[in-house]
Amino acid sequence: MDPLRWHLRDRALDLGPRPLVMGIVNVTPDSFSDGGHFLDTAAAVEHGLKLVAEGADILDVGGESTRPGAEPVPVDEELRRVVPVVAELARRTQVPVSVDTMKPHVARRCLEAGAAVVNDVAGFRDPEMIRAAADHRAGVVVMHMRGTPQTMQVNPWYADVVREVRAFFEERLRVLAESGIPPGAVCLDPGIGFGKALDHNLDLLANLGEFAALGRPVCLGVSRKGFIGKLCGREKHERLAGSLAVACIAAARGAAHVLRVHDVAATRDAAVLLGAINRSRR
Ligand code: HH2
């Protein structure tokens, strides 16, 4: 099979035997696991550069926490947090910079500052968000979320979560293609923890192949998330082993291609080993 290729503006990433590592740079006071650590521009940039040195293939810069119940951030404040960080990282690193935002204006300003990817946890349901990414030929991460961060964990319910998420991706791929974002620019993300109960997360993780079968790379964000804490009885800072295990299981099945993580060095080691083993497959 041809390797998957993800087009981001003027470059393309090949998703081969080794999963790519997307390092998280949270420029927020309140992110669920590292809020307040990198709130000022210099600290966030230093952190991004450290993640690149540790082996990140992409950086994902966010200025608004999406943890359940998080307060929305006004657009000016989000711009103030992320634009200088994106600009500086795009200038000082070779790796593509992604912006994690639900706001079209923030996406546009970050693309103008050099971002190559827009990661929208709201799944590009806002036509303005589609236009911003299309105008810059940006890569996009289309994530599935039920509701909003304020409402998503209030009794999440699905008849069949895997079927619903897959149908959502099919519909998004069609709408995006009609609106100027070709499938080659799209990466899909089932949105672990976004409007999902524990069983929904496990069902999605066990059946990620359903999404990979759509022919686009799958991004997976499980790093330090609540379901790991619940199943293993671990606090946020104790979830690295669980996070790595879940990411490796998904990637080893060929069902996750981009791993969105806080702990880049450890994930990069796991990804390199997985790539080496995959290359030795007969
Ligand atoms: N998870 C978070 C934020 N953005 N984007 C994608 N594509 N997939 C994810 O799973 C995902 C995401 C939540 O993690 P984090 O950024 O650490 O926390 P917070 O939203 O509290 O800043």
Side-chain angles (χ1 to χ4, degrees):
M1 213 169 83
D2 286 341
L4 280 174
R5 184 163 276 193
W6 186 20
H7 292 271
L8 330 168
R9 300 188 83 158
D10 50 359
R11 68 176 120 182
L13 296 179
D14 281 326
L15 300 124
R18 172 176 80 73
L20 300 184
V21 179
M22 176 186 256
I24 300 170
V25 181
N26 279 326
V27 197
T28 56
D30 57 344
S31 283
F32 80 94
S33 84
D34 58 359
H37 292 203
F38 316 111
L39 186 54
D40 82 48
T41 302
V45 169
E46 282 318 305
H47 184 60
L49 296 174
K50 175 171 168 276
L51 298 186
V52 172
E54 289 179 359
D57 299 290
I58 311 178
L59 293 175
D60 190 36
V61 179
E64 177 175 52
S65 172
T66 52
R67 73 180 198 288
E71 281 296 311
V73 174
V75 65
D76 286 348
E77 174 61 13
E78 194 176 332
L79 286 169
R80 196 189 63 72
R81 290 180 190 173
V82 293
V83 174
V85 176
V86 166
E88 191 70 359
L89 288 174
R91 192 175 69 78
R92 291 177 60 183
T93 67
Q94 294 297 317
V95 307
V97 178
S98 159
V99 59
D100 182 350
T101 185
M102 294 184 273
K103 297 188 184 72
H105 188 56
V106 174
R108 261 191 205 284
R109 291 279 304 279
C110 287
L111 289 164
E112 286 160 13
V117 175
V118 179
N119 170 23
D120 179 9
V121 300
F124 290 84
R125 282 175 287 191
D126 181 341
E128 266 307 306
M129 199 62 158
I130 299 180
R131 266 193 289 277
D135 285 351
H136 289 267
R137 295 186 304 109
V140 298
V141 180
V142 176
M143 202 199 77
H144 177 275
M145 168 168 60
R146 169 65 69 81
T148 65
Q150 289 71 48
T151 62
M152 65 190 184
Q153 289 307 114
V154 182
N155 289 326
W157 186 90
Y158 302 81
D160 180 338
V161 68
V162 174
R163 243 176 56 200
E164 286 180 47
V165 171
R166 184 174 163 135
F168 170 77
F169 287 152
E170 286 171 334
E171 183 260 353
R172 287 290 86 195
L173 282 165
R174 185 177 51 72
V175 170
L176 291 178
E178 288 167 2
S179 317
I181 301 182
V186 179
C187 183
L188 304 170
D189 186 327
I192 298 300
F194 285 83
K196 281 111 186 171
L198 176 60
D199 286 353
H200 301 135
N201 289 324
L202 295 175
D203 200 357
L204 290 167
L205 289 167
N207 297 289
L208 287 172
E210 292 277 327
F211 315 131
L214 296 172
R216 298 309 311 145
V218 171
C219 176
L220 189 66
V222 294
S223 188
R224 304 181 186 170
K225 282 195 177 166
F227 76 97
I228 296 171
K230 233 182 227 170
L231 289 176
C232 302
R234 297 287 183 198
E235 295 302 322
K236 293 178 187 84
H237 64 281
E238 301 171 325
R239 296 178 188 165
L240 173 57
S243 303
L244 270 180
V246 178
C248 286
I249 291 165
R253 290 176 171 168
H257 310 91
V258 179
L259 307 175
R260 182 183 181 279
V261 300
H262 303 89
D263 300 290
V264 166
T267 309
R268 171 78 183 208
D269 282 358
V272 165
L273 292 168
L274 180 54
I277 293 167
N278 276 341
R279 271 188 286 269
S280 300
R281 207 186 246 163
R282 293 191 198 163

